[in-house]
Amino acid sequence: MSEGLSFTFTDEQNMFRQAVRELVEDKLAPRAAEIDEADEYPWDIDELLVRNGFAGVSYPEEFGGAGGGAVEMCILTEELSRVSAGVALIPAVNKLGAIPVLLAGHDDMKRQICTGITEGTHRMSYCLTEPSSGSDAGAMKSRAVKDGDDWILSGTKRFITGAGASDLYTYFAVSDPDGEKGRNITAFLVSKDMKGFELGRKEDKMGIRGSPTREVILDDVRVPKENVIGEVGQGFRYAMRTLDFSRPTVGAQALGIAQGAFDYASSYVRERNQFGKPIAAFQGLQFMFADMAMKIETARMAVYRAAVAVDSEDPNVSYWAAIAKCYASDVAMSVTTDCVQALGGYGYIREYPVERFMRDAKITQIYEGTNQIQRVVIARSVLGKQ
């Protein structure tokens, strides 16, 4: 999908989508229900993505990545999410953790991250949310204290996706307690091997199972100055820019969830007979599926419009990213709920995947900024800050 108002993908992007789809249908689809049930990180699928070159998608080739941009990342995420939203978080969360480094890190750090993720030697997580600061991320309590050339970090982060599977963490902490809120936070690259690094409890989640979510606890962790990402005091700005770049990916995850549920349910209603004919012949269901199709296709346009905004460095990327994330996730929740309804009692049973899609859909309305926050961002773009 090129810049401007083009609504088509390039031949290379279509070939890439097909390659991902073939892998997903052959290797991931048979494992999806098991991954959800066991809620264990699927290292076999992670390694499969690495071997097939998908782990490095959207990372600059000059630093050891596989190339591509936000559009390719959204294609990858959408296709994985059509079968397993939890697995889709493997590349998505790596990229979330890496974006601050790509935005502001020094070249050696970029090379370490891009090459490591592409080759499967590193995996990353993004540590922003805390027990007492979710939407108000600038109110974080984590602290970074200068000690010679090093920094001493302490604090607790909550709901960290990928924690435990990841070995590297982008960690945000207040480096100037007396400074202006939002201009007193610094970003650091932290390794699980650093003394004082701990993992808290693993959350037992409703959806996106198979993707671990845990607390990350730093107890006087010594971090060398080389691990400061960008400029001291600019961490909050990097954090917010990161979310602008990652929200289209969440939109793509939501889009894939909706499409996966829709595909299964539409096949089901063509085969399920009641009153002597397929239930797809009943107008009530036909209108339901027509509405779902309209929502999904509109969400797809929003997601890839936002991805193009990222790739083209559109100055209005915050606006497009918020629309894509908010609209696509609302669509995912609506569509998956209707798909459960279309299957009737069977839709409520775990043997059928639509209930899993419905559980997975909910988090897309919450993380990467709740949809209420997305509406604030959109309103500010169209009405100005009040």
Side-chain angles (χ1 to χ4, degrees):
M1 185 175 289
S2 58
E3 287 187 34
L5 295 177
S6 173
F7 295 97
T8 59
F9 294 97
T10 65
D11 289 343
E12 290 80 5
Q13 288 165 344
N14 284 323
M15 289 172 62
F16 172 65
R17 183 186 291 277
Q18 186 59 36
V20 177
R21 183 168 297 186
E22 289 174 1
L23 182 81
V24 165
E25 292 178 351
D26 183 38
K27 301 296 185 181
L28 178 55
R31 289 267 285 119
E34 178 187 353
I35 291 168
D36 175 74
E37 181 68 25
D39 194 21
E40 293 179 357
Y41 189 82
W43 285 104
D44 59 324
I45 302 298
D46 180 311
E47 292 161 4
L48 189 68
L49 295 174
V50 172
R51 288 199 307 272
N52 284 271
F54 297 142
V57 169
S58 80
Y59 295 90
E61 293 182 57
E62 63 181 302
F63 294 113
V71 171
E72 286 74 18
M73 189 66 188
C74 284
I75 291 172
L76 175 63
T77 303
E78 179 189 350
E79 290 299 319
L80 291 171
S81 300
R82 284 178 58 249
V83 171
S84 172
V87 167
L89 287 172
I90 294 174
V93 171
N94 278 336
K95 187 62 183 291
L96 176 64
I99 290 173
V101 174
L102 295 173
L103 285 173
H106 54 74
D107 285 356
D108 286 346
M109 189 183 288
K110 291 178 182 179
R111 192 166 291 107
Q112 174 193 8
I113 296 306
C114 294
T115 302
I117 290 174
T118 300
E119 295 179 353
T121 56
H122 287 309
R123 288 158 186 87
M124 292 198 73
S125 288
Y126 178 86
C127 299
L128 183 65
T129 298
E130 297 190 356
S132 60
S133 61
S135 296
D136 186 11
M140 68 179 64
K141 299 185 183 303
S142 289
R143 292 291 183 264
V145 178
K146 197 83 163 64
D147 184 40
D149 286 340
D150 299 337
W151 291 83
I152 307 300
L153 272 59
S154 297
T156 298
K157 301 292 184 178
R158 180 160 289 175
F159 303 141
I160 305 306
T161 309
S166 297
D167 62 298
L168 296 177
Y169 297 79
T170 299
Y171 195 99
F172 298 90
V174 174
S175 52
D176 180 7
D178 299 322
E180 181 184 350
K181 180 181 176 182
R183 298 179 183 271
N184 62 344
I185 292 169
T186 300
F188 300 87
L189 183 62
V190 174
S191 168
K192 70 172 185 177
D193 297 325
M194 291 176 173
K195 184 179 179 181
F197 178 95
E198 299 176 22
L199 293 171
R201 67 181 186 185
K202 179 184 176 185
E203 306 293 351
D204 186 11
K205 307 188 301 295
M206 177 172 73
I208 56 167
R209 296 169 64 82
S211 174
T213 302
R214 302 183 67 165
E215 288 184 325
V216 171
I217 304 165
L218 302 190
D219 183 10
D220 290 340
V221 172
R222 182 173 292 274
V223 179
K225 64 179 181 180
E226 293 79 12
N227 284 38
V228 172
I229 300 173
E231 298 179 31
V232 172
Q234 295 299 307
F236 189 74
R237 183 167 66 89
Y238 304 147
M240 295 302 101
R241 287 186 67 196
T242 294
L243 296 178
D244 285 342
F245 293 167
S246 65
R247 281 168 179 162
T249 308
V250 175
Q253 182 189 37
L255 172 61
I257 292 168
Q259 187 68 64
F262 181 87
D263 291 346
Y264 188 90
S266 58
S267 176
Y268 177 90
V269 298
R270 287 194 292 267
E271 297 174 2
R272 171 73 167 170
N273 288 311
Q274 292 287 279
F275 304 103
K277 56 184 175 181
I279 60 175
F282 294 101
Q283 191 177 67
L285 273 174
Q286 290 175 350
F287 283 8
M288 179 188 292
F289 277 84
D291 287 340
M292 285 192 282
M294 286 189 286
K295 291 175 182 178
I296 291 171
E297 296 299 349
T298 305
R300 181 167 287 111
M301 292 181 189
V303 165
Y304 287 101
R305 176 63 184 86
V308 168
V310 172
D311 286 340
S312 64
E313 300 181 2
D314 189 323
N316 294 317
V317 66
S318 297
Y319 172 73
W320 293 114
I323 288 175
K325 190 271 182 188
C326 187
Y327 184 76
S329 59
D330 283 350
V331 164
M333 198 69 248
S334 170
V335 166
T336 55
T337 301
D338 283 347
C339 287
V340 169
Q341 187 73 22
L343 266 68
Y346 293 107
Y348 206 67
I349 296 172
R350 293 205 171 192
E351 181 181 351
Y352 295 81
V354 290
E355 66 85 29
R356 170 164 54 86
F357 286 122
M358 182 178 173
R359 287 187 284 111
D360 288 341
K362 185 59 199 175
I363 192 62
T364 65
Q365 294 180 306
I366 298 172
Y367 61 13
E368 302 291 283
T370 65
N371 281 6
Q372 286 74 23
I373 291 295
Q374 304 314 305
R375 286 175 167 86
V376 169
V377 172
I378 296 165
R380 284 178 176 175
S381 293
V382 298
L383 300 175
K385 186 173 181 178
Q386 302 299 312

